[in-house]
Amino acid sequence: MKWASRAVPAAVAAVAAVAALAARDLIQREHALLRTFPVLGRARYLLESIGPELRQYIVAGNNEERPFTRDQRRWVYASAKQQNNYFGFGTDNDIEFTPGYPIIKHRTFGRAVPPSTPGAGHDVRLPCAKVLGAARGRAHAFRPESVVNISGMSFGSLSGNAVEALNRGAALAGCLQNTGEGGLSPYHRKGGDLVFQIGTAYFGCRDERGRFSLDRLKDLVAGAPVRALEIKLSQGAKPSLGGLLPAAKVSAEIAATRGIPQGRDCVSPSRHAEFSDCDSLLDWVELLAAETGLPVGIKSAVGDLGFWEELTTLMRDTGRGVDFVTVDGGEGGTGAAPLIFTDSVSLPFQQGFARVYKVFAEHDLHEQVVFVGAGKLGLPDNAVVAFALGCDMVNVGREAMLAIGCIQAQKCHTDTCPTGVATQNPWLARGVDPGSKSVRAANYVRTLRRDLVKVAEACGVEHPGLIDTDSIEVLDGRTASHPLHEVYGYRPEWGLPSAADRAQIVRLMTAEAPQGGTAPPSPTAMS
């Protein structure tokens, strides 16, 4: 035993020494080879630099890529080009062994009868089930024409051509485009209706000292097709952080749009200066609504629920309130952010939204507010779950970028986007033709709406806002599953609009979307 106790460590040490010598020899050989053939060294770094593209087009499987898989991108691309976006042979998802996988439960006999033609629903109008601003009597309350709208992406983060393509596409599809916090640029004035986002730097509505200017805001909304105002509190991919646009990207156009000096770093504060708590926030909301007549809402990621508890308590007790709430999931996109924030700060959409909705419902406010979801909801399966949880509309960001040419190169923060979507480099931005790309954006939005209508009808209802939580089952491994309302602690009646709103949207959809039919009954048919 004494011999063994001495021999084993000695043998291990000998093996380690041999391995170290071998490793050193390999490194020396590699360095010598690279010195002799420098082209090989450069080739290695070239291969590393184009690794994402190689994985995207050659190596990766259909469901391996992130944030959007090859299947998901293929569906968006084909939808945007009006090509065949069907898939053959059946799913290759590992359904049974994927906890959290949602299953939509169709109904054999429901109120709605789905049409059978493949193109059915593509041109059907799909309005919001609620009237935005009606609950608080806003002067310019309106029913959004589309439950699918384009999310806030600023001019500066996106190229001017990309913003224009999305705005023209919004006009063609009859949906709204959110300006993002970077102000309202000339590229936003191409026919599409807008939601003007007010960020912490008040771009587009600030004075020479960077303070919010109510007069400038009123002038701006009076001269542009702005339908609503959205106060941005935080973004899912980078909550509690202000944006940064380097001096090199602050062109004359961007400086004019934002109301900032040209050629200087543009840094957005992390907090608003016009309010400091929920009480003053609601005062400011009411001021903006009174002065402009527009519906006013907030956009926020979800972290501490104390904010939402205080906000809803004040809304219930004082009569002041927001007209809509946009909940942004932590899996949402951004042009640039620290990795720790994109990966680990703020709740993902489903958990965050469900918690916020429950707080509003517990204060009996859920029927008075239009709920908007964001964070990878431009895919039909994710969007259906969002509607079942209580969303009235969904905003699409990166999916809309894919529709106009984005290839998920993930170089948004470098100003070297190879397709010209997320760059201020004029030579690269030429790759986005607003005329043709606007048509693709509109095709994508229409196709997503078509799929939402078809899934709603499969669930037996006329509109995706009428899909209830009992229509979604969430798998918990191979042998167990739970209804959506059990997963998120909803009461059975939660997640739907009011009875009056439900009746009105059924009337609208019955007129818009003709129902399918059956073959004529035979003499032996059973009634």
Side-chain angles (χ1 to χ4, degrees):
M1 293 297 293
K2 290 182 179 180
W3 175 85
S5 64
R6 290 193 301 270
V8 171
V12 171
V15 170
V18 170
L21 288 171
R24 187 175 65 183
D25 182 57
L26 284 173
I27 293 171
Q28 289 174 344
R29 287 185 182 183
E30 180 185 12
H31 287 176
L33 183 64
L34 293 178
R35 284 194 300 271
T36 306
F37 303 102
V39 174
L40 293 178
R42 294 190 181 94
R44 183 181 70 175
Y45 293 116
L46 174 64
L47 291 172
E48 288 179 359
S49 69
I50 63 173
E53 287 81 2
L54 289 174
R55 290 190 294 274
Q56 177 174 326
Y57 290 110
I58 300 174
V59 180
N62 290 340
N63 291 294
E64 291 177 356
E65 297 177 42
R66 295 292 181 271
F68 294 93
T69 69
R70 180 179 294 187
D71 277 349
Q72 291 167 341
R73 286 186 295 107
R74 178 187 151 198
W75 179 83
V76 173
Y77 294 147
S79 299
K81 298 174 185 177
Q82 284 195 311
Q83 295 175 347
N84 183 352
N85 65 355
Y86 281 34
F87 288 74
F89 204 65
T91 183
D92 58 3
N93 293 346
D94 193 7
I95 296 176
E96 295 173 292
F97 296 97
T98 305
Y101 196 99
I103 297 296
I104 301 165
K105 302 191 307 187
H106 71 283
R107 294 183 182 175
T108 304
F109 302 111
R111 288 197 315 263
V113 182
S116 299
T117 56
H122 193 269
D123 295 318
V124 170
R125 179 170 165 260
L126 191 56
C128 180
K130 295 175 182 173
V131 177
L132 187 58
R136 317 205 87 78
R138 307 304 188 198
H140 299 307
F142 71 104
R143 185 188 299 276
E145 294 182 11
S146 174
V147 298
V148 178
N149 299 289
I150 297 173
S151 193
M153 295 178 285
S154 301
F155 171 50
S157 177
L158 298 190
S159 67
N161 283 359
V163 173
E164 180 177 341
L166 293 174
N167 188 257
R168 291 182 184 275
L172 292 171
C175 70
L176 298 166
Q177 180 190 23
N178 191 300
T179 63
E181 66 175 304
L184 201 159
S185 72
Y187 304 102
H188 288 103
R189 300 173 183 267
K190 303 298 180 180
D193 284 346
L194 301 169
V195 175
F196 181 68
Q197 188 179 92
I198 304 174
T200 56
Y202 309 116
F203 295 130
C205 55
R206 56 190 261 148
D207 63 19
E208 292 75 11
R209 297 175 58 186
R211 301 172 302 182
F212 171 73
S213 170
L214 181 59
D215 289 338
R216 292 193 178 186
L217 175 66
K218 292 167 69 173
D219 288 343
L220 183 143
V221 300
V226 175
R227 306 297 304 275
L229 303 176
E230 180 181 78
I231 302 167
K232 179 181 176 181
L233 302 178
S234 59
Q235 182 177 344
K238 51 183 177 186
S240 299
L241 289 184
L244 169 63
L245 198 63
K249 296 182 70 174
V250 183
S251 64
E253 278 188 313
I254 291 174
T257 297
R258 299 193 176 202
I260 59 175
Q262 181 181 352
R264 290 172 53 182
D265 285 343
C266 176
V267 183
S268 303
S270 59
R271 300 278 179 90
H272 280 267
E274 297 301 300
F275 52 87
S276 56
D277 54 22
C278 289
D279 192 44
S280 55
L281 166 61
L282 289 178
D283 281 342
W284 204 55
V285 166
E286 294 297 339
L287 170 69
L288 298 182
E291 292 289 335
T292 66
L294 298 174
V296 181
I298 57 174
K299 174 181 178 176
S300 181
V302 182
D304 176 30
L305 286 183
F307 162 77
W308 301 99
E309 293 281 358
E310 183 179 357
L311 179 70
T312 50
T313 299
L314 285 169
M315 286 178 60
R316 181 194 61 195
D317 295 345
T318 68
R320 298 168 296 160
V322 297
D323 299 297
F324 65 96
V325 173
T326 302
V327 173
D328 196 16
E331 66 272 59
T334 178
L339 184 63
I340 180 63
F341 278 81
T342 58
D343 282 357
S344 302
V345 181
S346 83
L347 289 168
F349 172 77
Q350 287 186 25
Q351 292 191 37
F353 180 85
R355 295 184 192 185
V356 169
Y357 184 91
K358 285 172 63 178
V359 173
F360 275 84
E362 287 165 352
H363 288 79
D364 200 26
L365 296 168
H366 56 301
E367 294 179 352
Q368 302 175 27
V369 174
V370 172
F371 290 99
V372 185
K376 295 185 72 174
L377 302 185
L379 304 167
D381 52 344
N382 292 346
V384 168
V385 175
F387 280 108
L389 286 171
C391 274
D392 301 295
M393 299 191 292
V394 295
N395 284 348
V396 297
R398 288 169 294 176
E399 301 91 332
M401 291 169 62
L402 292 170
I404 63 170
C406 170
I407 60 168
Q408 195 170 280
Q410 297 176 293
K411 295 181 179 179
C412 315
H413 60 298
T414 66
D415 201 35
T416 59
C417 171
T419 61
V421 174
T423 179
Q424 298 307 308
N425 183 312
W427 186 81
L428 292 171
R430 290 186 306 170
V432 179
D433 172 46
S436 61
K437 298 298 186 180
S438 63
V439 175
R440 292 188 179 182
N443 288 338
Y444 159 69
V445 170
R446 291 191 187 108
T447 303
L448 177 56
R449 291 192 307 222
R450 179 203 69 183
D451 282 8
L452 292 175
V453 169
K454 294 180 78 164
V455 172
E457 291 170 340
C459 293
V461 295
E462 301 83 356
H463 186 276
L466 304 180
I467 298 174
D468 59 22
T469 53
D470 195 48
S471 297
I472 310 291
E473 198 94 356
V474 179
L475 302 185
D476 186 18
R478 181 178 174 84
T479 59
S481 62
H482 303 279
L484 194 64
H485 60 83
E486 287 185 9
V487 173
Y488 290 111
Y490 273 35
R491 296 175 190 168
E493 68 274 16
W494 288 356
L496 294 171
S498 68
D501 285 334
R502 294 199 299 270
Q504 179 62 17
I505 199 62
V506 168
R507 285 193 291 270
L508 290 174
M509 290 305 298
T510 302
E512 282 288 331
Q515 298 294 289
T518 60
S522 71
T524 56
M526 301 296 179
S527 59

